[in-house]
């Protein structure tokens, strides 16, 4: 029996899902606020952050209990599910611990920068049979979701080419970049997920190109800031992704699927719908600045989907497999960039199996 | 000394404005939720509704106290400001009572369907010197606001023609229409406000045309469901407004100002930015269905402006005069429709003065 | 038997319609060039212009014969149809003469500024049984035509409100305005035609408002440069038209029909589809500057329709009645503006009948 | 002294450039009609086509002389320039012959499918010092040209990523594909040109991926029908191109440049600007069907630029080098696809030099 059909977890007597939030930095705090105030059927019951003042501030703001430790939070009776919003290097241990504690798990992406580590986390989830959802929030954006819907319902026919543009408004600091796993695991990973999401087809080969055009100092971290990646899917579809760490005009996030019968696309929204026309032409406002502006609706819908799935005993809509595949693609992209050749996913998996094998005794 | 420069009201020790909400029907509940959960620097401290179960439900949901009566709410120490969200026929009495209780006042539009009654309410506000804001939420829509900004900063030059389209997705029930004051006071009143807002110029004459095309039974209420109104402004600008009680394609809300140097317009947003192209052409999603979908951002900004004005001791941005003028324009529009001729605002004011004079002894 | 079903006129042995162009000023020259070079099945066979050098230049350019006089052109065997592109005050006499000469007639709008004179011209056309088309070119614009199509095929349901914006980029000289019949007969006449075209319903009443905001000196000609006109149609639809003699941002030409099931609109095209996005927002190019830029495709389609109708023995698609109705509406608009009241078409027709009756002996 | 600054050729006494058109199939006939009827300062003086009836038909239609042979046309005194619109395999010989005859040359793309052959043609042009222009018409599209302009004037800053979509509405017949040189030389060649045009930077490396998704039978010709190509430019910019032989929704042609300060894009035009909104959403018309619909304005501007350059003694704006570079890129793309690796342009040039060297004795 798969975890997907596990009975719903115990939920509070009032029928609300009680969520413990681990990590209330920028993204964790946003999740906590959304969950507590705007998601019907759920509330934040406890929070924890290694930096106690942050936890205290959010606890006061939302009027929720602060746990002194992760262990305390995981042991609490009034926690049905956990939201893991800490730094990436802690995700695997927290997933394992939460699974062993029998909690439903929501984890921010990426789970890990290492396939073997990820597999360890996912094995723990599988063993515990707890519901698990990975935070690929863009799947819940109504425009991106409409692109997938147009594939699923046959409107665009068989997908042949996918174009994804994904640009941030500003590059992160070098210090962040050093531990990020590189642009493909930090940023493009969302696009790898999107490519799988809209085509419904696995990726078999990756060809990546990159350049340093924005922050030459990222060379110290062995990273690039500008990239174009081409994916080949199992069904023959080709996906082209372009990324930039700095789009002067805002947060540029577009997806297009071209198929045998038509195309579907999600265009960039503007900050509002006002325009001005003069002899100089037409002027319209900028794009939303960054992900909070663009994707709040998606973050909300992501939580609503998680809560609904748990309530109904269904598998949450973004699965462990959905969390794993983009990491493998990202590793292939990194190798392709370094070795200047297309890299197959089979090669990445073979290496992982071999690495895992050599560690087999302890696994 | 004007109320505008009154010292800020006492505010809770934690620095939050404590708001008592009178009326928690559809619109009141929306205001209460926004205020309590999403407006920084404010919280709902008490609510009251003549229908006790509604008050109880919202009180529980938000975790705020329920007052048994309007008087009790107005007498409470933990209420700095009131939000009047009851039916129109109660607004004047509630404004008078709240003003006498020294509370800052936010009132949903319209204040009254009668000029003399409105003047009585506004006189009470003036006498008490309390801050007052009327709920013309569309002024806070970023797109409509950008149109006004393009006039104020000179980009479009002197306004010459304004076009306003305002259509609801579905007509209200006949019973509602009977007490609504008619389409001009119930619906077009927002557009009269918008015409003043974007031009910065008072209206001097009104010419209205109407038809029954959607709900023939509105004839029983002496109302129309389709209307075109032309306004002449003091500065020579002409505004044309068109209204419909039923736009099959959603909530259509657009404003355009054409001036000597250019034009500015607020276009309709779509539900999202996804599109589909096939041999049949391009398909994009519908407009937002109704005001909650379209104007949540504006409702939020409206509250933020109210709270900020009170905190800073400034006049709230939509004044008593802004509440009064559209009523006079609406009365002129009704007369123009009935008498099939342009009607000047001077004529409406003269009649009001005369009615007020004849009632003078008792006033 | 109506003129509409008259047998096709004799056409040249090579099957081309031979057109004589009367008047080769700006608009006549454009028609001559389009007809001669881009309209399949037609060619210009002769031209005439009272200003001989203009005729000579165009004759040389196109390689076509120049006639010394209107009479000579009308008497020529190699002229199947005439295009009347002279000044408005000559149209009636030329129509009468061309009809008596048995030529098919295309005439630029307006036919006349006087209803009785127009009726004299149309009577001559009727008596001669010659095909006749009036130059309301905007009917042939693909976007405006798509609006009508969406009414005709039922997509938008019963028309309830029509909005028409029509703005020129630059005002004409005062000298032109003096003889133009005023803004309603010179400019709005296109919009009156459009209102009838897209609704398929006659106009019964007109209410006009105007202002002098651009060229104060037009007061000498008794004219306005800014206007808003409301029309009531026989079927209950309301049309609101706004006009300006000067839109700083280009040639603004939009039509919207709102009906019981939806809406259809023709938006302004841009000069091209290039855009630029920077931190300052999005910039797109201006509208086409004026009618030649916007409507060349429509002018071409207009001629193709005329030629096709003649070839097939069908009534040309814009009839004598279509030429007459907008004049009556324009006269009503002028009276409404002067007398500050709605004016019915019945009143205009009664006056025309009375004027015609008093001239009856000579008619 | 370069050919670019050669004195203008003799031109007819009336100041018009007299053009001889070689090949009046679909594209040649279009060029002949545009040139003869709509390009000021030029006319078609002679035409030739190996298929005599085609030449006769176009000659009659336009009223121009038909030459019996290419040689006769090239020998004629009334031919200042030739337009080479025949099949690709004849281009080199015709260029050589025309250059030796001292005629200015316009040649449809591609010049040749073979670099050495192309160099032979370009050497003949260089030797004769005649003006030469290659038919990359898309450079003259106002929207694409605006993208380049935004790079040249610095608005978008340094180009970092270029995205080009180019899709035809329908695949050509297999027979055509067999002789086309494959998708990269037949179709993508326009995009290779566009990448150089908008970035102003040469391409140094090419990585291509392709698939057969539309016409499996193209496998017989060793071709693909769906492709994604990534280019690396000398200045570090990355260009991603996606092509399809069949876009169900029309002729999709878009270019975007993302740079350090912003982005510029050419969007797809629609057939017209009409829209319809119903409860089902918004509907807009399709894209133009194919190149004649989309690019007529560009074809016209291309001829105007050629004529103006000749009249003014300037180098025509799309040079021999512009004709050569995309062929080399296309050859690299083909090799990359076959060998599944990135291919540098240096490698292609080295091979060409080597091939040329081995043929050196006879060259």
């Amino acid at each position: 029996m798969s975890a997907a059909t596990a009975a719903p977890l115990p939920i509070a007597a009032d029928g609300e899902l009680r969520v413990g939030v681990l990590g209330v930095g920028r993204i964790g705090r946003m999740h906590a606020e959304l969950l507590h105030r705007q998601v019907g059927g759920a509330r934040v019951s406890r929070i924890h952050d290694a930096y106690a003042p942050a936890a205290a501030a959010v606890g006061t703001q939302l009027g929720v209990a602060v746990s002194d430790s992760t262990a305390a939070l995981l042991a609490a009776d009034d926690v049905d599910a956990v939201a893991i919003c800490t730094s990436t290097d802690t995700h695997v241990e927290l997933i394992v611990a939460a699974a062993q504690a029998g909690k439903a798990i929501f984890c921010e992406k990426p789970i890990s920068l290492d396939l073997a580590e990820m597999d360890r986390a996912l094995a723990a989830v599988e063993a515990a049979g707890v519901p698990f959802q990975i935070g690929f929030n863009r799947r819940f954006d109504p425009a991106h979701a409409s692109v997938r819907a147009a594939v699923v319902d046959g409107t665009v026919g068989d997908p042949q080419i996918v174009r994804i543009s994904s640009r941030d408004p500003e590059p992160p600091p070098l210090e962040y970049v050093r531990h990020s796993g590189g642009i493909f695991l930090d940023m493009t990973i969302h696009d790898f997920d999107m490519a799988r999401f809209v085509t419904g087809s696995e990726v078999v080969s990756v060809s990546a190109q990159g350049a340093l055009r924005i922050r030459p100092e990222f060379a110290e971290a062995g990273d690039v800031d500008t990239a174009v990646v081409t994916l080949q899917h199992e069904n023959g579809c080709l996906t082209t992704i372009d990324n930039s760490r700095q789009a002067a005009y805002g947060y540029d996030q577009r997806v297009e699927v071209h198929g045998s019968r038509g195309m579907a696309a999600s265009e960039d929204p503007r900050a509002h719908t006002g325009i001005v026309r003069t002899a100089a032409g037409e002027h319209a406002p900028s794009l939303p600045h960054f992900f909070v502006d663009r994707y709040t609706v998606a973050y909300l819908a992501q939580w609503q989907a998680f809560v609904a799935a748990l309530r109904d005993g269904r598998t949450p809509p973004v699965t462990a497999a959905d969390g794993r595949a983009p990491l493998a693609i990202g590793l292939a992209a990194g190798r392709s960039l370094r070795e200047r050749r297309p890299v197959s996913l089979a090669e990445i998996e073979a290496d992982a199996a071999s690495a895992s094998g050599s560690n087999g005794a302890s696994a």
Side-chain angles (χ1 to χ4, degrees), chain A:
Chain A
M1 175 186 148
S2 117
T5 56
L9 295 197
I11 279 187
D14 63 4
E16 287 202 320
L17 184 76
R18 296 161 303 185
V19 182
V21 179
L22 293 169
V24 289
R26 182 174 187 186
I27 193 81
R29 184 175 189 150
M30 183 197 73
H31 281 310
E33 289 180 8
L34 283 175
L35 252 173
H36 200 57
R37 292 179 165 162
Q38 297 194 48
V39 177
R43 67 170 188 269
V44 175
S45 54
R46 291 183 172 272
I47 62 175
H48 169 71
D49 196 290
Y51 180 58
V58 176
T60 300
Q61 179 200 353
L62 298 183
V64 302
V66 174
S67 294
D68 285 344
S69 67
T70 298
L73 188 146
L74 291 177
D77 282 344
D78 62 358
V79 169
D80 306 312
V82 295
I84 301 176
C85 309
T86 51
S87 61
T88 298
D89 58 353
T90 66
H91 286 179
V92 168
E93 289 307 332
L94 291 175
I95 290 171
V96 170
Q100 289 172 350
K103 308 298 187 188
I105 300 170
F106 170 91
C107 184
E108 261 303 322
K109 65 89 212 167
I111 296 174
S112 171
L113 304 180
D114 180 275
L115 267 184
E117 276 295 285
M118 173 170 284
D119 287 339
R120 187 162 69 89
L122 299 183
V125 169
E126 178 78 14
V130 294
F132 180 86
Q133 182 169 321
I134 177 79
F136 283 125
N137 59 294
R138 297 183 194 172
R139 292 187 174 214
F140 298 92
D141 176 76
H144 298 328
S146 78
V147 173
R148 174 177 156 96
V151 174
V152 169
D153 70 15
T155 304
V156 304
D158 291 330
Q160 294 169 347
I161 293 178
V162 173
R163 301 204 321 162
I164 301 177
S165 266
S166 172
R167 300 151 193 286
D168 285 352
E170 289 163 15
L174 173 58
E175 200 45 43
Y176 173 91
V177 166
R178 283 189 206 282
H179 303 92
S180 68
I183 193 169
F184 299 132
L185 298 188
D186 183 52
M187 187 172 165
T188 326
I189 198 164
H190 275 295
D191 308 311
F192 298 144
D193 177 61
M194 188 57 66
R196 293 178 68 247
F197 177 60
V198 297
T199 61
S201 176
E202 296 296 338
V203 170
V204 295
S205 172
V206 181
S207 180
Q209 247 116 29
L212 269 172
R213 302 296 307 279
I214 296 157
R215 286 288 183 271
E217 65 270 28
F218 285 7
E220 298 173 34
D223 206 358
V224 294
D225 52 29
T226 304
V228 169
V229 184
T230 307
L231 310 178
Q232 289 196 315
H233 292 261
E234 215 164 53
N235 68 356
C237 185
L238 297 172
T239 289
T240 171
I241 299 168
D242 61 278
N243 289 142
S244 170
R245 284 288 194 183
Q246 185 171 52
Y249 52 93
Y251 191 47
D252 183 5
Q253 299 273 306
R254 288 172 288 159
V255 177
E256 290 183 19
V257 178
H258 300 266
S260 53
R261 303 181 61 181
M263 70 91 101
S266 50
E267 301 182 335
D268 280 317
R270 295 171 181 160
H272 60 73
T273 60
I275 61 159
V276 171
R277 283 182 175 156
T278 64
E282 180 175 324
H283 183 267
S286 296
L287 307 188
H289 180 64
F290 214 165
F291 60 91
V292 173
D293 312 284
R294 167 75 184 261
Y295 285 128
T296 293
V297 167
Y299 284 117
L300 196 54
Q302 177 178 251
W303 278 117
Q304 288 164 337
F306 182 73
V307 172
L310 263 59
R311 176 178 308 275
D312 300 346
R314 288 182 281 104
T315 307
V318 197
T319 66
D322 294 325
R324 187 186 191 283
L327 173 59
I329 302 170
L331 294 170
R335 186 175 297 181
S336 173
L337 179 70
R338 286 189 303 275
E339 303 185 1
R340 308 181 66 80
R341 62 175 179 93
V343 172
S344 73
L345 270 289
E347 180 181 331
I348 297 296
E349 293 295 352
D351 285 5
S354 150
S356 174
S358 66
N359 296 334
S362 63

